[in-house]
Amino acid sequence: MAHAVWANPKSLFRPRTPLAKALGDLPLFSRLSRAEIEKVEAIAHIRTYSAGECIFEQGDPSVAMFVIMAGEVRIVIRTEESEEDREVARLGTGEMFGETALLDGAPRTAAAIAATPAEIAAIARPDWIDLVERQPALGVRMLLPLARIMAARVRALNLQVPTSQQQNWEQYV
Amino acid sequence: MNTGSSAAKFGWVRLTALGVGCAIGLYVIRDVLPPIVLAAIVAYVLNPIVDMGERRSVPRWGTIILIYLLIAAAAVVGVLFLLPLLGQQFEEIRSQIGPFWSQLQVYGYRFLDRVERWWPPLARVILAEVTSDALTTMPHQWLASALENAPAFISGAFSNVVGIITYFVTVPFIAFFLVRDGRAFKRAFIELVPNRYFETVVSVLDRIDHSVGLYIRGILLEALLLGTLATIGLLLIGLKGAILIGMLTGFLNLIPYVGAIVGFVVGVFVALATGGNVPGVVIVFAFSQFVDNWFIQPFVLSRSVNLHPLLIFLAVVFGGVYGGLLGMFLAVPLTGAFVVTARTIREGLRPQVYPYDVIAEL
């Protein structure tokens, strides 16, 4: 970590922006130095959403992960059986969602809707992969936490799947 | 849902406004578009090298300046060493074409004698054509006048905007900023996109950028490889003017098919005129076409786009009519970029299907 700090000492004296602070507090970017956080910040797009505005729809190809800088976001699942959307999570300032988009472009499994007026930073996969390729050391420090987040989710899913089906399940995971 | 539909309508309005704005912007700057397009091509070539430097912690501006210095050094070496060599080769060919053409004319008149005995009206028609100015002018005279007119012709292709010197300044200048700040420009453009289309536009722009980059680097690399191959082959068979013809083949290969055809015709003609190895020239060009079709194109252009020959022909004619020599060279990469863009947008808007039904079945 020391070399990352000394790589750009000037960054230590610059005041941190709200986005840099929000990114630094996330587990995904917690291993990055201030200079490295600034590089991630440089690829983020700040988007403003009005209350009720759709951020992405269920089934849309996933391209970006989002970090809430202000406001709240509802994660809902739309089913054919009921007309009502099923809310699976309500996220607030400083939380992230849609991070699997950094790995592949699979369709979104749920929709994200701004519950209140929201300011959200979006990090798109093409820009993120470009950054990982240009800065491999920085890439490793982001990929390891991302792999840990994914591993934790797989374990949590395994606990939910009945033991009789786990053998079938694991061959796909 | 009223809010959603009005938001969607607003999104369409912004998207349409963005499209119309781009079109108007392009129309307004149409006169300065050629240097911008040239700079974009240069930027596409330099970008991977600059990225490579960035991976080794060299700042982007540093790599660009280093490349510019190397190009300037190469240009100085080219002017000092290559130009006199090419001039010498040109003189060599020119001095031998005159006698060869006279010999050809003798053969031609002998042939006409035979035709006259066989079918006099046909001979009269041929004779009327042959005595016209275009055919009686000696090729070496034509070459000399072409050489005299070449600087005017080349600069004429550029001078409709601001002159050739301006190109040498503006193209590297614009390319510098396109390479250094290209990502920031893209981000600024994406800021204008409505929220609903944000992810689609990011994805489509990335694919366009990737495909157009592959295409432009591909055709330039193909031209470089073919030019080198032709030069080495012609040097090996000892043809006079080998470097000149090889470079001509590579350069003209930027216009597909033209490079190989012109290189072959000029090569055979020079071989006949200078008593060179004609079968050797045929073998060199057949071999370079074989290598191009079986090795260069499948690897260099495989992930890119194949343009239909008729489309290439029409693009080159259109480019030649509206943009002169420069237009002819820019026509093919521009058409390629346009086709790649259209295909990417069509593919990007198609919903993607992943094998998630396999997991859902469990």
Short mmCIF file of all heavy atoms in Angstrom, two decimals, chain B residues 165-228:
data_model
loop_
_atom_site.label_atom_id
_atom_site.label_comp_id
_atom_site.label_asym_id
_atom_site.label_seq_id
_atom_site.Cartn_x
_atom_site.Cartn_y
_atom_site.Cartn_z
N ILE B 165 0.19 23.03 -45.22
CA ILE B 165 0.99 23.32 -44.03
C ILE B 165 0.12 23.31 -42.78
O ILE B 165 0.49 22.78 -41.74
CB ILE B 165 1.71 24.69 -44.18
CG1 ILE B 165 2.64 24.68 -45.39
CG2 ILE B 165 2.47 25.07 -42.91
CD1 ILE B 165 3.79 23.67 -45.31
N THR B 166 -1.10 23.86 -42.94
CA THR B 166 -2.02 23.90 -41.81
C THR B 166 -2.33 22.48 -41.33
O THR B 166 -2.49 22.25 -40.13
CB THR B 166 -3.32 24.62 -42.22
OG1 THR B 166 -2.97 25.71 -43.05
CG2 THR B 166 -4.07 25.12 -41.01
N TYR B 167 -2.43 21.53 -42.28
CA TYR B 167 -2.69 20.14 -41.90
C TYR B 167 -1.59 19.60 -40.99
O TYR B 167 -1.85 18.90 -40.04
CB TYR B 167 -2.79 19.25 -43.15
CG TYR B 167 -4.19 19.15 -43.67
CD1 TYR B 167 -4.74 20.17 -44.43
CD2 TYR B 167 -4.97 18.03 -43.41
CE1 TYR B 167 -6.03 20.09 -44.91
CE2 TYR B 167 -6.26 17.94 -43.88
CZ TYR B 167 -6.78 18.98 -44.64
OH TYR B 167 -8.06 18.89 -45.10
N PHE B 168 -0.33 19.94 -41.34
CA PHE B 168 0.79 19.44 -40.54
C PHE B 168 0.77 19.99 -39.11
O PHE B 168 1.36 19.41 -38.22
CB PHE B 168 2.13 19.78 -41.21
CG PHE B 168 2.45 18.83 -42.33
CD1 PHE B 168 2.40 19.23 -43.65
CD2 PHE B 168 2.80 17.51 -42.04
CE1 PHE B 168 2.68 18.35 -44.68
CE2 PHE B 168 3.09 16.62 -43.07
CZ PHE B 168 3.02 17.04 -44.38
N VAL B 169 0.09 21.11 -38.94
CA VAL B 169 0.00 21.70 -37.60
C VAL B 169 -1.28 21.24 -36.89
O VAL B 169 -1.24 20.77 -35.76
CB VAL B 169 0.04 23.25 -37.67
CG1 VAL B 169 -0.08 23.86 -36.28
CG2 VAL B 169 1.32 23.71 -38.35
N THR B 170 -2.42 21.35 -37.62
CA THR B 170 -3.71 21.09 -36.96
C THR B 170 -3.91 19.61 -36.63
O THR B 170 -4.41 19.29 -35.55
CB THR B 170 -4.89 21.57 -37.82
OG1 THR B 170 -4.72 21.05 -39.13
CG2 THR B 170 -4.99 23.06 -37.85
N VAL B 171 -3.54 18.71 -37.56
CA VAL B 171 -3.81 17.28 -37.32
C VAL B 171 -3.08 16.77 -36.06
O VAL B 171 -3.72 16.21 -35.18
CB VAL B 171 -3.49 16.43 -38.58
CG1 VAL B 171 -3.54 14.94 -38.28
CG2 VAL B 171 -4.48 16.77 -39.69
N PRO B 172 -1.75 17.00 -35.92
CA PRO B 172 -1.11 16.53 -34.68
C PRO B 172 -1.66 17.22 -33.43
O PRO B 172 -1.78 16.60 -32.38
CB PRO B 172 0.38 16.89 -34.87
CG PRO B 172 0.54 17.13 -36.31
CD PRO B 172 -0.78 17.60 -36.84
N PHE B 173 -2.03 18.50 -33.58
CA PHE B 173 -2.55 19.27 -32.45
C PHE B 173 -3.88 18.67 -31.96
O PHE B 173 -4.04 18.37 -30.78
CB PHE B 173 -2.74 20.73 -32.87
CG PHE B 173 -3.16 21.65 -31.77
CD1 PHE B 173 -2.24 22.08 -30.81
CD2 PHE B 173 -4.47 22.09 -31.67
CE1 PHE B 173 -2.64 22.92 -29.78
CE2 PHE B 173 -4.87 22.94 -30.65
CZ PHE B 173 -3.95 23.35 -29.71
N ILE B 174 -4.81 18.46 -32.92
CA ILE B 174 -6.12 17.89 -32.54
C ILE B 174 -5.92 16.47 -32.02
O ILE B 174 -6.51 16.08 -31.01
CB ILE B 174 -7.10 17.90 -33.74
CG1 ILE B 174 -7.32 19.33 -34.25
CG2 ILE B 174 -8.44 17.29 -33.35
CD1 ILE B 174 -8.08 19.43 -35.56
N ALA B 175 -5.06 15.68 -32.71
CA ALA B 175 -4.83 14.28 -32.30
C ALA B 175 -4.28 14.22 -30.88
O ALA B 175 -4.66 13.34 -30.10
CB ALA B 175 -3.88 13.60 -33.27
N PHE B 176 -3.40 15.17 -30.52
CA PHE B 176 -2.81 15.21 -29.17
C PHE B 176 -3.92 15.25 -28.12
O PHE B 176 -3.94 14.47 -27.17
CB PHE B 176 -1.90 16.43 -29.04
CG PHE B 176 -1.29 16.60 -27.68
CD1 PHE B 176 -0.11 15.98 -27.35
CD2 PHE B 176 -1.92 17.37 -26.71
CE1 PHE B 176 0.45 16.11 -26.09
CE2 PHE B 176 -1.39 17.52 -25.45
CZ PHE B 176 -0.18 16.89 -25.14
N PHE B 177 -4.88 16.18 -28.32
CA PHE B 177 -5.94 16.33 -27.32
C PHE B 177 -6.94 15.19 -27.37
O PHE B 177 -7.51 14.80 -26.35
CB PHE B 177 -6.62 17.70 -27.46
CG PHE B 177 -5.72 18.80 -26.99
CD1 PHE B 177 -5.09 19.65 -27.90
CD2 PHE B 177 -5.46 18.97 -25.63
CE1 PHE B 177 -4.23 20.64 -27.46
CE2 PHE B 177 -4.61 19.97 -25.19
CZ PHE B 177 -3.99 20.81 -26.10
N LEU B 178 -7.16 14.64 -28.59
CA LEU B 178 -8.08 13.50 -28.69
C LEU B 178 -7.53 12.30 -27.92
O LEU B 178 -8.27 11.58 -27.26
CB LEU B 178 -8.30 13.10 -30.15
CG LEU B 178 -9.24 13.99 -30.97
CD1 LEU B 178 -9.37 13.46 -32.39
CD2 LEU B 178 -10.63 14.05 -30.34
N VAL B 179 -6.21 12.09 -27.99
CA VAL B 179 -5.60 10.95 -27.30
C VAL B 179 -5.53 11.24 -25.79
O VAL B 179 -5.86 10.39 -24.98
CB VAL B 179 -4.19 10.64 -27.85
CG1 VAL B 179 -3.55 9.50 -27.07
CG2 VAL B 179 -4.26 10.27 -29.32
N ARG B 180 -5.12 12.46 -25.44
CA ARG B 180 -4.95 12.78 -24.02
C ARG B 180 -6.28 12.85 -23.27
O ARG B 180 -6.43 12.32 -22.18
CB ARG B 180 -4.18 14.09 -23.85
CG ARG B 180 -3.50 14.21 -22.50
CD ARG B 180 -3.01 15.60 -22.24
NE ARG B 180 -4.13 16.52 -22.01
CZ ARG B 180 -4.00 17.74 -21.50
NH1 ARG B 180 -2.80 18.19 -21.19
NH2 ARG B 180 -5.03 18.51 -21.33
N ASP B 181 -7.27 13.52 -23.90
CA ASP B 181 -8.52 13.78 -23.18
C ASP B 181 -9.74 13.11 -23.81
O ASP B 181 -10.88 13.52 -23.57
CB ASP B 181 -8.78 15.31 -23.13
CG ASP B 181 -7.61 16.04 -22.49
OD1 ASP B 181 -7.03 15.50 -21.54
OD2 ASP B 181 -7.28 17.15 -22.96
N GLY B 182 -9.49 12.08 -24.64
CA GLY B 182 -10.60 11.41 -25.33
C GLY B 182 -11.67 10.93 -24.37
O GLY B 182 -12.87 11.07 -24.64
N ARG B 183 -11.26 10.38 -23.23
CA ARG B 183 -12.23 9.85 -22.27
C ARG B 183 -13.09 10.97 -21.68
O ARG B 183 -14.29 10.80 -21.48
CB ARG B 183 -11.51 9.12 -21.14
CG ARG B 183 -10.88 7.84 -21.61
CD ARG B 183 -10.31 7.04 -20.46
NE ARG B 183 -9.66 5.87 -20.98
CZ ARG B 183 -8.38 5.82 -21.32
NH1 ARG B 183 -7.62 6.89 -21.16
NH2 ARG B 183 -7.87 4.73 -21.81
N ALA B 184 -12.45 12.12 -21.43
CA ALA B 184 -13.20 13.26 -20.87
C ALA B 184 -14.24 13.75 -21.89
O ALA B 184 -15.36 14.10 -21.52
CB ALA B 184 -12.24 14.38 -20.49
N PHE B 185 -13.86 13.78 -23.19
CA PHE B 185 -14.81 14.22 -24.23
C PHE B 185 -16.01 13.27 -24.27
O PHE B 185 -17.15 13.69 -24.40
CB PHE B 185 -14.13 14.25 -25.61
CG PHE B 185 -13.03 15.29 -25.73
CD1 PHE B 185 -11.94 15.07 -26.56
CD2 PHE B 185 -13.10 16.48 -25.03
CE1 PHE B 185 -10.93 16.01 -26.68
CE2 PHE B 185 -12.10 17.43 -25.14
CZ PHE B 185 -11.01 17.20 -25.96
N LYS B 186 -15.71 11.95 -24.17
CA LYS B 186 -16.78 10.96 -24.22
C LYS B 186 -17.72 11.13 -23.01
O LYS B 186 -18.93 11.08 -23.14
CB LYS B 186 -16.17 9.55 -24.22
CG LYS B 186 -17.08 8.50 -24.84
CD LYS B 186 -16.33 7.27 -25.24
CE LYS B 186 -16.29 6.25 -24.14
NZ LYS B 186 -15.65 5.00 -24.52
N ARG B 187 -17.11 11.38 -21.85
CA ARG B 187 -17.91 11.58 -20.63
C ARG B 187 -18.82 12.79 -20.76
O ARG B 187 -19.98 12.76 -20.39
CB ARG B 187 -16.97 11.78 -19.44
CG ARG B 187 -16.95 10.62 -18.48
CD ARG B 187 -15.72 10.71 -17.62
NE ARG B 187 -15.72 11.91 -16.78
CZ ARG B 187 -16.22 11.94 -15.55
NH1 ARG B 187 -16.74 10.85 -15.03
NH2 ARG B 187 -16.17 13.03 -14.84
N ALA B 188 -18.26 13.88 -21.32
CA ALA B 188 -19.04 15.11 -21.49
C ALA B 188 -20.23 14.85 -22.42
O ALA B 188 -21.33 15.36 -22.20
CB ALA B 188 -18.16 16.22 -22.06
N PHE B 189 -20.02 14.02 -23.45
CA PHE B 189 -21.10 13.69 -24.38
C PHE B 189 -22.17 12.86 -23.66
O PHE B 189 -23.37 13.11 -23.80
CB PHE B 189 -20.53 12.91 -25.58
CG PHE B 189 -21.57 12.43 -26.54
CD1 PHE B 189 -22.16 13.30 -27.43
CD2 PHE B 189 -21.98 11.09 -26.54
CE1 PHE B 189 -23.13 12.86 -28.31
CE2 PHE B 189 -22.94 10.64 -27.41
CZ PHE B 189 -23.52 11.52 -28.30
N ILE B 190 -21.71 11.89 -22.83
CA ILE B 190 -22.66 11.00 -22.14
C ILE B 190 -23.50 11.78 -21.12
O ILE B 190 -24.65 11.45 -20.88
CB ILE B 190 -21.89 9.82 -21.49
CG1 ILE B 190 -21.37 8.90 -22.59
CG2 ILE B 190 -22.79 9.02 -20.54
CD1 ILE B 190 -20.39 7.86 -22.14
N GLU B 191 -22.92 12.86 -20.56
CA GLU B 191 -23.67 13.69 -19.60
C GLU B 191 -24.98 14.19 -20.22
O GLU B 191 -25.95 14.40 -19.52
CB GLU B 191 -22.84 14.93 -19.20
CG GLU B 191 -21.56 14.63 -18.44
CD GLU B 191 -21.80 14.13 -17.04
OE1 GLU B 191 -22.54 14.80 -16.31
OE2 GLU B 191 -21.26 13.06 -16.70
N LEU B 192 -24.97 14.39 -21.57
CA LEU B 192 -26.14 14.96 -22.23
C LEU B 192 -27.24 13.92 -22.47
O LEU B 192 -28.36 14.28 -22.79
CB LEU B 192 -25.73 15.54 -23.60
CG LEU B 192 -24.67 16.64 -23.59
CD1 LEU B 192 -24.23 16.97 -25.00
CD2 LEU B 192 -25.22 17.89 -22.92
N VAL B 193 -26.89 12.65 -22.30
CA VAL B 193 -27.85 11.58 -22.62
C VAL B 193 -28.87 11.46 -21.49
O VAL B 193 -28.51 11.49 -20.31
CB VAL B 193 -27.09 10.25 -22.81
CG1 VAL B 193 -28.05 9.08 -22.99
CG2 VAL B 193 -26.15 10.35 -23.99
N PRO B 194 -30.18 11.29 -21.82
CA PRO B 194 -31.18 11.13 -20.77
C PRO B 194 -30.90 9.87 -19.93
O PRO B 194 -30.35 8.89 -20.43
CB PRO B 194 -32.49 10.94 -21.55
CG PRO B 194 -32.22 11.39 -22.92
CD PRO B 194 -30.77 11.29 -23.16
N ASN B 195 -31.33 9.92 -18.65
CA ASN B 195 -31.06 8.81 -17.72
C ASN B 195 -31.47 7.45 -18.28
O ASN B 195 -30.76 6.46 -18.11
CB ASN B 195 -31.82 9.04 -16.41
CG ASN B 195 -31.15 10.11 -15.56
OD1 ASN B 195 -29.94 10.32 -15.68
ND2 ASN B 195 -31.92 10.79 -14.74
N ARG B 196 -32.64 7.40 -18.94
CA ARG B 196 -33.18 6.12 -19.39
C ARG B 196 -32.25 5.44 -20.40
O ARG B 196 -32.23 4.22 -20.51
CB ARG B 196 -34.58 6.35 -20.00
CG ARG B 196 -35.35 5.10 -20.32
CD ARG B 196 -35.77 4.38 -19.04
NE ARG B 196 -36.20 3.00 -19.32
CZ ARG B 196 -35.39 1.95 -19.23
NH1 ARG B 196 -34.12 2.12 -18.91
NH2 ARG B 196 -35.82 0.74 -19.46
N TYR B 197 -31.52 6.24 -21.18
CA TYR B 197 -30.67 5.66 -22.25
C TYR B 197 -29.19 5.66 -21.88
O TYR B 197 -28.35 5.34 -22.70
CB TYR B 197 -30.90 6.42 -23.57
CG TYR B 197 -32.35 6.48 -23.92
CD1 TYR B 197 -33.10 7.62 -23.69
CD2 TYR B 197 -32.99 5.36 -24.43
CE1 TYR B 197 -34.45 7.65 -23.96
CE2 TYR B 197 -34.34 5.38 -24.69
CZ TYR B 197 -35.07 6.53 -24.46
OH TYR B 197 -36.40 6.55 -24.73
N PHE B 198 -28.91 6.04 -20.63
CA PHE B 198 -27.52 6.17 -20.20
C PHE B 198 -26.73 4.88 -20.43
O PHE B 198 -25.70 4.88 -21.12
CB PHE B 198 -27.49 6.58 -18.71
CG PHE B 198 -26.18 6.35 -18.04
CD1 PHE B 198 -25.06 7.10 -18.38
CD2 PHE B 198 -26.05 5.36 -17.07
CE1 PHE B 198 -23.85 6.87 -17.77
CE2 PHE B 198 -24.84 5.13 -16.45
CZ PHE B 198 -23.74 5.88 -16.81
N GLU B 199 -27.24 3.75 -19.92
CA GLU B 199 -26.48 2.50 -20.02
C GLU B 199 -26.35 2.04 -21.48
O GLU B 199 -25.29 1.59 -21.89
CB GLU B 199 -27.14 1.41 -19.17
CG GLU B 199 -26.92 1.62 -17.68
CD GLU B 199 -27.32 0.42 -16.86
OE1 GLU B 199 -28.53 0.27 -16.60
OE2 GLU B 199 -26.45 -0.36 -16.48
N THR B 200 -27.44 2.18 -22.24
CA THR B 200 -27.41 1.76 -23.65
C THR B 200 -26.37 2.57 -24.42
O THR B 200 -25.56 2.01 -25.17
CB THR B 200 -28.80 1.99 -24.31
OG1 THR B 200 -29.78 1.42 -23.46
CG2 THR B 200 -28.88 1.37 -25.68
N VAL B 201 -26.39 3.90 -24.20
CA VAL B 201 -25.46 4.77 -24.94
C VAL B 201 -24.01 4.46 -24.57
O VAL B 201 -23.14 4.37 -25.44
CB VAL B 201 -25.81 6.26 -24.71
CG1 VAL B 201 -24.73 7.17 -25.27
CG2 VAL B 201 -27.14 6.59 -25.36
N VAL B 202 -23.75 4.24 -23.26
CA VAL B 202 -22.38 3.92 -22.82
C VAL B 202 -21.90 2.65 -23.52
O VAL B 202 -20.80 2.59 -24.08
CB VAL B 202 -22.32 3.73 -21.28
CG1 VAL B 202 -21.01 3.11 -20.86
CG2 VAL B 202 -22.50 5.06 -20.58
N SER B 203 -22.77 1.63 -23.53
CA SER B 203 -22.41 0.34 -24.10
C SER B 203 -22.19 0.45 -25.62
O SER B 203 -21.19 -0.04 -26.16
CB SER B 203 -23.52 -0.66 -23.80
OG SER B 203 -23.34 -1.82 -24.50
N VAL B 204 -23.12 1.13 -26.30
CA VAL B 204 -23.03 1.24 -27.77
C VAL B 204 -21.80 2.07 -28.16
O VAL B 204 -21.05 1.69 -29.06
CB VAL B 204 -24.34 1.85 -28.34
CG1 VAL B 204 -24.16 2.25 -29.79
CG2 VAL B 204 -25.47 0.85 -28.22
N LEU B 205 -21.56 3.18 -27.43
CA LEU B 205 -20.40 4.03 -27.74
C LEU B 205 -19.09 3.24 -27.58
O LEU B 205 -18.18 3.35 -28.39
CB LEU B 205 -20.35 5.23 -26.80
CG LEU B 205 -21.11 6.48 -27.22
CD1 LEU B 205 -20.83 7.60 -26.23
CD2 LEU B 205 -20.73 6.92 -28.62
N ASP B 206 -19.05 2.41 -26.53
CA ASP B 206 -17.84 1.62 -26.28
C ASP B 206 -17.61 0.63 -27.42
O ASP B 206 -16.49 0.47 -27.90
CB ASP B 206 -17.97 0.87 -24.95
CG ASP B 206 -16.78 -0.04 -24.71
OD1 ASP B 206 -15.66 0.49 -24.58
OD2 ASP B 206 -16.96 -1.27 -24.69
N ARG B 207 -18.71 -0.03 -27.85
CA ARG B 207 -18.55 -1.01 -28.94
C ARG B 207 -18.16 -0.35 -30.26
O ARG B 207 -17.36 -0.87 -31.02
CB ARG B 207 -19.84 -1.82 -29.09
CG ARG B 207 -19.91 -2.91 -28.03
CD ARG B 207 -20.93 -3.92 -28.39
NE ARG B 207 -22.09 -3.76 -27.53
CZ ARG B 207 -23.23 -4.43 -27.69
NH1 ARG B 207 -23.34 -5.28 -28.68
NH2 ARG B 207 -24.23 -4.26 -26.88
N ILE B 208 -18.75 0.85 -30.50
CA ILE B 208 -18.40 1.58 -31.73
C ILE B 208 -16.92 1.94 -31.70
O ILE B 208 -16.17 1.70 -32.65
CB ILE B 208 -19.26 2.87 -31.86
CG1 ILE B 208 -20.70 2.51 -32.15
CG2 ILE B 208 -18.71 3.79 -32.96
CD1 ILE B 208 -21.66 3.68 -32.06
N ASP B 209 -16.49 2.49 -30.56
CA ASP B 209 -15.10 2.91 -30.38
C ASP B 209 -14.16 1.72 -30.63
O ASP B 209 -13.17 1.83 -31.37
CB ASP B 209 -14.96 3.43 -28.94
CG ASP B 209 -13.62 4.06 -28.69
OD1 ASP B 209 -13.07 4.61 -29.64
OD2 ASP B 209 -13.12 3.99 -27.55
N HIS B 210 -14.51 0.57 -30.05
CA HIS B 210 -13.69 -0.62 -30.16
C HIS B 210 -13.63 -1.11 -31.62
O HIS B 210 -12.54 -1.36 -32.16
CB HIS B 210 -14.30 -1.70 -29.26
CG HIS B 210 -13.45 -2.91 -29.12
ND1 HIS B 210 -12.28 -2.89 -28.42
CD2 HIS B 210 -13.61 -4.17 -29.59
CE1 HIS B 210 -11.74 -4.09 -28.47
NE2 HIS B 210 -12.53 -4.89 -29.17
N SER B 211 -14.80 -1.21 -32.26
CA SER B 211 -14.84 -1.76 -33.63
C SER B 211 -14.18 -0.82 -34.63
O SER B 211 -13.44 -1.27 -35.51
CB SER B 211 -16.29 -2.00 -34.06
OG SER B 211 -16.96 -2.73 -33.10
N VAL B 212 -14.48 0.49 -34.52
CA VAL B 212 -13.89 1.45 -35.46
C VAL B 212 -12.37 1.48 -35.29
O VAL B 212 -11.62 1.49 -36.27
CB VAL B 212 -14.51 2.87 -35.26
CG1 VAL B 212 -13.78 3.91 -36.09
CG2 VAL B 212 -15.97 2.86 -35.64
N GLY B 213 -11.92 1.41 -34.03
CA GLY B 213 -10.48 1.37 -33.76
C GLY B 213 -9.83 0.16 -34.40
O GLY B 213 -8.79 0.27 -35.05
N LEU B 214 -10.47 -1.01 -34.24
CA LEU B 214 -9.94 -2.24 -34.84
C LEU B 214 -9.87 -2.11 -36.36
O LEU B 214 -8.89 -2.51 -36.99
CB LEU B 214 -10.86 -3.43 -34.51
CG LEU B 214 -10.65 -4.15 -33.20
CD1 LEU B 214 -11.63 -5.30 -33.07
CD2 LEU B 214 -9.23 -4.71 -33.10
N TYR B 215 -10.92 -1.54 -36.94
CA TYR B 215 -11.00 -1.42 -38.40
C TYR B 215 -9.90 -0.50 -38.94
O TYR B 215 -9.16 -0.87 -39.85
CB TYR B 215 -12.38 -0.91 -38.81
CG TYR B 215 -12.52 -0.78 -40.30
CD1 TYR B 215 -12.67 -1.91 -41.09
CD2 TYR B 215 -12.46 0.46 -40.93
CE1 TYR B 215 -12.77 -1.81 -42.46
CE2 TYR B 215 -12.56 0.57 -42.29
CZ TYR B 215 -12.72 -0.56 -43.06
OH TYR B 215 -12.81 -0.46 -44.42
N ILE B 216 -9.79 0.68 -38.32
CA ILE B 216 -8.81 1.66 -38.81
C ILE B 216 -7.39 1.13 -38.63
O ILE B 216 -6.57 1.17 -39.56
CB ILE B 216 -9.01 3.02 -38.10
CG1 ILE B 216 -10.29 3.66 -38.65
CG2 ILE B 216 -7.82 3.95 -38.31
CD1 ILE B 216 -10.71 4.92 -37.97
N ARG B 217 -7.08 0.59 -37.45
CA ARG B 217 -5.74 0.04 -37.23
C ARG B 217 -5.50 -1.14 -38.16
O ARG B 217 -4.40 -1.34 -38.66
CB ARG B 217 -5.57 -0.37 -35.76
CG ARG B 217 -5.42 0.82 -34.82
CD ARG B 217 -5.02 0.37 -33.44
NE ARG B 217 -6.10 -0.33 -32.76
CZ ARG B 217 -7.01 0.26 -32.01
NH1 ARG B 217 -6.99 1.55 -31.83
NH2 ARG B 217 -7.96 -0.44 -31.43
N GLY B 218 -6.57 -1.92 -38.41
CA GLY B 218 -6.46 -3.09 -39.28
C GLY B 218 -6.07 -2.72 -40.70
O GLY B 218 -5.10 -3.27 -41.25
N ILE B 219 -6.77 -1.75 -41.31
CA ILE B 219 -6.46 -1.43 -42.72
C ILE B 219 -5.09 -0.76 -42.83
O ILE B 219 -4.38 -0.99 -43.81
CB ILE B 219 -7.56 -0.59 -43.44
CG1 ILE B 219 -7.89 0.68 -42.69
CG2 ILE B 219 -8.80 -1.39 -43.68
CD1 ILE B 219 -8.76 1.61 -43.51
N LEU B 220 -4.71 0.02 -41.82
CA LEU B 220 -3.39 0.65 -41.88
C LEU B 220 -2.28 -0.39 -41.74
O LEU B 220 -1.28 -0.35 -42.47
CB LEU B 220 -3.25 1.72 -40.78
CG LEU B 220 -4.08 2.98 -41.00
CD1 LEU B 220 -3.99 3.90 -39.80
CD2 LEU B 220 -3.62 3.73 -42.25
N LEU B 221 -2.49 -1.35 -40.83
CA LEU B 221 -1.50 -2.42 -40.63
C LEU B 221 -1.41 -3.28 -41.89
O LEU B 221 -0.31 -3.67 -42.30
CB LEU B 221 -1.89 -3.27 -39.41
CG LEU B 221 -0.89 -4.31 -38.96
CD1 LEU B 221 0.41 -3.65 -38.54
CD2 LEU B 221 -1.45 -5.14 -37.80
N GLU B 222 -2.57 -3.54 -42.51
CA GLU B 222 -2.59 -4.36 -43.73
C GLU B 222 -1.79 -3.66 -44.84
O GLU B 222 -0.98 -4.30 -45.53
CB GLU B 222 -4.05 -4.56 -44.17
CG GLU B 222 -4.19 -5.54 -45.32
CD GLU B 222 -5.58 -5.52 -45.92
OE1 GLU B 222 -6.36 -4.59 -45.64
OE2 GLU B 222 -5.87 -6.44 -46.72
N ALA B 223 -2.01 -2.33 -44.97
CA ALA B 223 -1.29 -1.58 -46.00
C ALA B 223 0.22 -1.62 -45.74
O ALA B 223 1.03 -1.82 -46.67
CB ALA B 223 -1.79 -0.13 -46.03
N LEU B 224 0.60 -1.47 -44.47
CA LEU B 224 2.02 -1.48 -44.10
C LEU B 224 2.65 -2.84 -44.40
O LEU B 224 3.74 -2.92 -45.01
CB LEU B 224 2.16 -1.15 -42.61
CG LEU B 224 3.58 -1.08 -42.06
CD1 LEU B 224 4.28 0.17 -42.57
CD2 LEU B 224 3.59 -1.08 -40.54
N LEU B 225 1.95 -3.92 -44.01
CA LEU B 225 2.49 -5.26 -44.21
C LEU B 225 2.60 -5.59 -45.70
O LEU B 225 3.60 -6.14 -46.15
CB LEU B 225 1.60 -6.31 -43.51
CG LEU B 225 1.63 -6.30 -41.99
CD1 LEU B 225 0.63 -7.28 -41.41
CD2 LEU B 225 3.02 -6.65 -41.48
N LEU B 226 1.54 -5.23 -46.47
CA LEU B 226 1.56 -5.54 -47.90
C LEU B 226 2.65 -4.75 -48.63
O LEU B 226 3.33 -5.28 -49.51
CB LEU B 226 0.20 -5.24 -48.53
CG LEU B 226 -0.82 -6.37 -48.43
CD1 LEU B 226 -2.09 -6.00 -49.14
CD2 LEU B 226 -0.26 -7.66 -49.05
N GLY B 227 2.78 -3.47 -48.24
CA GLY B 227 3.83 -2.63 -48.84
C GLY B 227 5.21 -3.21 -48.57
O GLY B 227 6.06 -3.30 -49.46
N THR B 228 5.43 -3.65 -47.32
CA THR B 228 6.72 -4.23 -46.94
C THR B 228 6.97 -5.53 -47.70
O THR B 228 8.07 -5.76 -48.22
CB THR B 228 6.74 -4.50 -45.41
OG1 THR B 228 6.28 -3.35 -44.75
CG2 THR B 228 8.12 -4.87 -44.93
#
